[in-house]
Amino acid sequence: MEKYILNETPLRTANNFDINNIEVVLDIPKYKSFENFNIYTENIEKIKVEVNQNKISENENKIGLERQTNYSVKIIIPENITIEEKIKLEFNFDEDNAFLVENIDILLEKNAKANFEIQYNSEESFSNFHNGQLNILLQENAKANIVVSNFNNNQSDNLYEMKNELKDNATLKYTIIEIGGKNKISNYYSKLVGENSENSLNVIYLGKENDVIDINYNMETYGKNSKAYINVQGVLTDSAKKNFKGTIDFKEGSKKAIGKENENCILLSKQAKSKSLPMLLCHEEDVEGEHGVSSGKIDEAKLFYIMTKGISYDEARKLIIKANFNDIIKNINNNELENRINEKIDQI
Amino acid sequence: MKTQLKEVDNNIYNIKNKDEYSFKTVGLTEEVIREISEKKNEPDWMLELRLKALKTYNELSMPTWGPDLSELDMSKIATYVKPKTNMKKSWEDVPEDIKNTFDALGIPEAEKESLAGVGAQYDSEIVYHSIKEELVKQGVIYTDFDAAVKEYPELVKQYFTKCVPITDHKFIALHYAVWSGGSFVYVPKGVKVDIPLQSYFRLNAPGAGQFEHTLIIVDEGASLQFIEGCSAPKYNEINLHAGCVELFVKENGFLRYSTIENWSKNMMNLNTKKVVVDKNGTIEWVTGSFGSKVSMLYPMSILNGENSKCEFTGISFAGKGQNLDAGLKIVHNAPNTSSVVNSKSISKDGGICTFRSDIKVRPRAEKSKVSVSCESLMLDSISRSDTIPVNDVQTDEVEFSHEAKIGKISDQAIFYLMTRGISEEEAKAMIVRGFANPISKELPLEYAVEMNNLINLELEGSIG
């Protein structure tokens, strides 16, 4: 067991506000190999896939925990290729595969289009450790839809770092389902370097028992007319603690850029703690930026209304949470995933 | 149509008097502190407190966040500059050059027209203090802080450092080590002071620091409006302002604390303000920050009593060479407390405005409400505007909402005004004044005019 200070915000604020970073105690197992990786695609002949084990990562590390990878996957979608069916990457933890430090690199060349689903599962009751990194590069006019789901069990540590770079007219739709793990520490860094590039990030988080959630998202607009959207919906119950740190950083020259950020946290217990730091940083006059955050318990008027229809208190509560998540879930367009998320909400 | 506001005399804030003083200390050592205390003929407990604060200052580290403070060299700052006069009760007795400065700033005139009392500090000491007789009869105390230490020692001891402790941060420790001047106000139970009191702080000496201490106690059911103004002429050396404001609002009390700050652009303004509000009490902060090279200012409200309220209305205007890091801290520490924050900022000519906040809702603050709104206006692309708000919710029974917007002056609005025959320059100025209007309308008329004048002054030649 060791104490680590991780996930520094892009800009520091006063130390006693206690949000510049997160202090966590982690029991990091010794380096082991990982075998349980699957890739599902009907278009393997159209894309390039490279899988390596035991490779040293030289990538920049924003979470701040030293990484020696035991798995790496590189996928290239060549120029002008469109892959309609989703490409699914699945990492399944079990007792023999309880340690994963992976790199996933996804490159979409010019005019390429693809959909990815990346899933981390550990259904059994054992402790596992995950420290992943997902890097995405979209060249001119490329379009990608990425869904990352963390369904690790509630004893696991889950650290995840995502980095994107978007060139001219590139569009990236990103969804993160942050459900599993007792420590959920994630870092998302997106550089919108291209003109008219667009990145929307939709996130669902769920914290229970003594979960610690530390979310650190940062989108930087460089290109003219670039668009950055962050929409985060979460629920905390029991003694869960959450830090949301979301930054939209308008860099000089990103004229007509738009950045919007929104976080909504439903608190289901008196012991749950919600902290948020929605930063707007601006070095360009001609931009449009806004953020909004809200925290509080479930709207009692809504609860009452649903209960008058003969639905129990517990069911009504779950219905409202599902409704809050609904916009994000429906956009994923994946029934299996929707059912799994709803199952997790039912277990609250 | 040109604005109907009075023409601004560009130079009133920059009047430089000869650097004359009767006594001066430079630097921050134990010897300097003993000298200040001896000159003030203070009680021993105050000297001990100063020395303890110096020790704390030396132990604490510089902030690892916010604006760059590396230009500040405490060994060069004049920590105490005693003007060549004692405190006077009539403007006629104040030395002519000092009186002329305050005349130009409009203080004696405002006193006649719209104030119930005035304190005027010049460098390290209060040079003029007055209060209307009817308030004295009602038991209101308004005096300079040095006098309060001697005349009301029990009251001062009961409250001094109790709101803002010496250990709060490095610059508050500095303040307690070398504090001088400031105001002391006590409003007895049930007394309503309807006309505002005003303290004005003027720093004339180049390379000097001003460390005034303001302590206000609004007792049960009492109310007060207090206005604080600050300015200084511009020098090449760095000047430092590390004042401290300690406020106490007792049960059912009301305090509105308004500040118009126009320090010169060589000033490091590292001021600390804090209030403790009891049951059903209300604090209203109204603040306009225009001056200084660097500001770090986050008035803190501790809502300790049930149903206590905080309202914060503030505007910052950063121009060339300015880095204004301002905001607030609020702690909701009792049930049914509420806070409403409305903050605006304008950046131009490379100026940096940062809104920084920390709002905590403690577990016991059930059924509390928080509403925060921040708006920033960028007048060009060489400036910066950052919003860094921390929202810390520790209970579920709360309504917490925070929203912020950032943007430019709408081209459509300018075009519309120009179709009505208004020049582009005036159209932009009108929009900026409109943007600032929610703040200026909260100020007494004279100060709203002053704020508008400051905006006009800042905008001159910068847009259009």
Side-chain angles (χ1 to χ4, degrees), chain B residues 33 118 155 163 165 182 220 267 291 296 299 313 316 325 366 398 417:
Chain B
I33 284 162
V118 162
L155 210 49
C163 183
E220 290 174 17
M267 177 68 87
M296 290 177 82
T313 313
S316 299
D325 201 298
E366 288 176 353
V398 61
L417 289 168

Side-chain angles (χ1 to χ4, degrees), chain A residues 15 29 37 201:
Chain A
N15 295 340
F37 167 71
L201 169 63

Side-chain angles (χ1 to χ4, degrees), chain A residues 182-284:
Chain A
K182 67 175 188 290
N183 288 310
K184 299 179 248 275
I185 297 168
S186 59
N187 191 298
Y188 183 97
Y189 174 50
S190 203
K191 284 174 84 171
L192 284 78
V193 292
E195 279 187 30
N196 301 309
S197 55
E198 180 174 336
N199 183 192
S200 58
L201 169 63
N202 288 296
V203 182
I204 288 172
Y205 66 78
L206 211 144
K208 56 183 184 176
E209 296 166 6
N210 291 308
D211 289 358
V212 172
I213 305 174
D214 194 76
I215 296 168
N216 192 1
Y217 300 154
N218 181 12
M219 289 202 198
E220 295 176 346
T221 67
Y222 293 85
K224 287 177 187 161
N225 291 307
S226 48
K227 294 178 180 68
Y229 302 110
I230 301 174
N231 173 27
V232 181
Q233 301 288 334
V235 174
L236 298 179
T237 185
D238 306 325
S239 295
K241 283 182 189 165
K242 176 271 312 178
N243 294 334
F244 166 75
K245 305 176 273 195
T247 306
I248 292 180
D249 189 351
F250 295 101
K251 300 290 186 186
E252 196 174 354
S254 60
K255 289 195 181 303
K256 309 268 179 224
I258 296 174
K260 293 183 181 179
E261 181 184 5
N262 171 50
E263 192 228 4
N264 177 30
C265 176
I266 298 177
L267 296 164
L268 296 180
S269 100
K270 286 193 189 310
Q271 286 73 41
K273 307 269 182 284
S274 162
K275 209 180 251 196
S276 60
L277 169 56
M279 284 199 268
L280 274 180
L281 310 178
C282 185
H283 203 348
E284 169 57 52

Side-chain angles (χ1 to χ4, degrees), chain B residues 57 61-63 65-74 77 164 168-176 178 203 208-212 230 238-245 261 263-264 266-273 289 291-299 323-326:
Chain B
Y57 173 81
S61 48
M62 292 288 277
W65 50 277
D68 178 17
L69 302 176
S70 58
E71 275 188 80
L72 181 64
D73 180 354
M74 276 315 296
I77 293 284
V164 183
D168 232 21
H169 58 83
K170 191 171 180 75
F171 292 99
I172 202 64
L174 166 70
H175 167 86
Y176 280 117
V178 293
L203 186 58
Q210 199 167 54
F211 307 99
E212 84 287 353
C230 348
I238 290 291
N239 277 27
L240 172 65
H241 178 227
C244 176
V245 174
E261 176 268 300
W263 290 117
S264 55
N266 58 319
M267 177 68 87
M268 295 240 179
N269 181 29
L270 310 175
N271 211 12
T272 305
K273 298 176 180 182
S289 297
S292 82
K293 178 186 178 72
V294 168
S295 269
M296 290 177 82
L297 179 60
Y298 322 99
N323 189 342
L324 305 185
D325 201 298

